[in-house]
Amino acid sequence: MAVAGPVQAQPGAPNHIAAALRVEGPAAPGSTVMVALEMKPAKGWHGYWSNPGDAGFGMTLKWYQGDVAADADFGTPLYPVPDTLLIAGLMNHVYEHDYAVLVPYRVPAAARPGSVLPIAVKAQWLACTDAVCVPEQARLEAGVTVTAPGAASPASPQFDQWRARLPAPLGSPARIAAAGPVLRLGIPLPQSVALERPHVFVADEALVDYAAPQEFRRQGDLLVVTLRRNPAAGAGAAPAALHGVLKLNRAGDGVTFTAAPGAVAAGGALVAEGADAPSTPLVWLVLAALAGGLLLNVMPCVFPILSLKALSLARAGESEAEARTEGLAYTAGVVLACSALGAVLLALRAGGSEVGWAFQLQDPSVVALLLLLALAITANLAGVYEFAVPGFVNRASSATGGTGSRSGGANGAFATGLLAAFVATPCTGPFMAAAMGAALLLPVAEAMLLFVALGVGLALPFLAIAFVPPLRRALPRPGGWMVRFRHAMAVPMGLTALALAWLTWRLAGPVILALELAVALAAGLLLVELGRRQRRGAGVARLGGGGLVALGLAAALVPVAIAPQAPAAARDGLPSQPFSAAALAQARASGKPVFVWMTADWCLTCKVNERVAIDRAETRAAFAGAEVVVLKGDWTRRDPEITRYLGAQGAAGVPLYVWYPGPAPAAPVTLPQLLTPDSLVALTQKVRS
């Protein structure tokens, strides 16, 4: 596969990598516009990075404006982060998917507004499979529309996507030291940045052994990388400079750096192969997951579920054997749901999907089903009808003269556990964030242990009531108050249904919301008829079961049949910009403090923090005075870029608040997930001091 010199392409031969020249948009005389070479390899073929590695050939470009050579008007090509491909001991730096090489073009100052400047490039590259390489070439042409000075150029989403795939500039100088047959790189990198299969791509040729294993160690906020030198380069002093790209994860995130000679100490915490091994011992992560699940019982995002548990706890003292049976059944339901959600999450991530914790509430179909379920439970608690599941409601009715059956208590507790875990886990709380973030980096068996521990923590209060007699005896005795309490609990459950309707609008737009409300109205009428027949003693099984299943299918299929539409963006009290990696890099380069605010419409903890600490006149005034740049990431819908950022910060879900006190290398600070009214104001006071 090695190619020693320039390749000679065969004229007229079909290319296995389709190429096209794109222009980002109109540009004024004397300004710079980005052009792109869009490369699309055929299946099984790949192209090469600027330094192809042990084999291959980097792309060569000859630029023209019209028929006149114009290389001086075009800048240095900017490549996305490549992948590694090891074949027969040879390390190649390749792209096995569609990619784009961006090149800045300076429009001549004498260009006439309203004209179109023809530009062209003669490109040569190498296209390879695992077995064969073919030299290819193409002459690509495009036109640059010249606008009047000061005219606004429209944004290009395609170029924004390509630009997001470029490695970000590190912003701080790296160091390189020679140590016999190896080179040690010291790269400033915050310890909070997670690493997943990291790799250093060296842009300078013949300096290192590309195929040799690379060792990564952490020394606080310094990443030390050991590279084996190229035997042909000898073992003398360190090179005067080393340019490269540090790939951070399998998603393709990376940073560019330039290393100058300097001291780099050996040692540090070893980064495990394939992932940045969590520095916290597994036993502490398990305890954190357990504590996080326990605290979910009192988090604002879980409050609606407390209404489902309350009636169960109220009558738990009727029978010790039954209480223990239902306590175990409820725990089994919670643990099963948490484990299933964890397994699906790990499977989706292993398949390349950019998802995180609470991914289920980013799907309009799932939210629609939960809306119907919340409506059905609200009607049940309000006494509109009686249903065998959840069983705790029937026990309450039976104890006070209701029509509910006393059978199926364990089944009802198990179903309640499933529902509690499914709805209670969208928001992360204290202790839980670190545990769930680590679960995304650990091996599957250890990750699943953390999900199980989370479920046990969530079920722990109910389990304690079931197995500790003094706690059961402290509960109120059954009586007429239980009917009133049951009806009162319909209020928070009804508010939950309203919140799910609002989330449907935020996820899918007003059209789908209207259709889902029509289905919900039909379900409500069905439940009213079901209750009427129950009170007359008529048969209801076919009406209730078949009707609700049909309506559930209809609710789930509405978002599938109709493309969801994004609603108008909500206005936030704190002025902010949409989060992106490019926006974060630009904000940090400005030298101003930056506040990154990750939220979602389905996260009640996020909304409480926004009301208590973020959307306040004092916060707005303090941020304006300190010139804080606010970047808001809305994770209501799946957003791969936000998911990658959450993973880089060791978080599996929202809320997440990160404070950057200044430009790199100032280390970012991850704020608590529960904010106090003065949390953010205090940060600006530190900046001013």
Side-chain angles (χ1 to χ4, degrees), residues 87-99:
I87 300 178
L90 299 177
M91 175 62 73
N92 304 275
H93 307 151
V94 304
Y95 303 102
E96 297 178 284
H97 49 74
D98 295 354
Y99 65 101

Side-chain angles (χ1 to χ4, degrees), residues 164-182:
R165 305 311 302 161
L166 299 177
L170 184 60
S172 301
R175 303 189 300 272
I176 184 170
V182 301

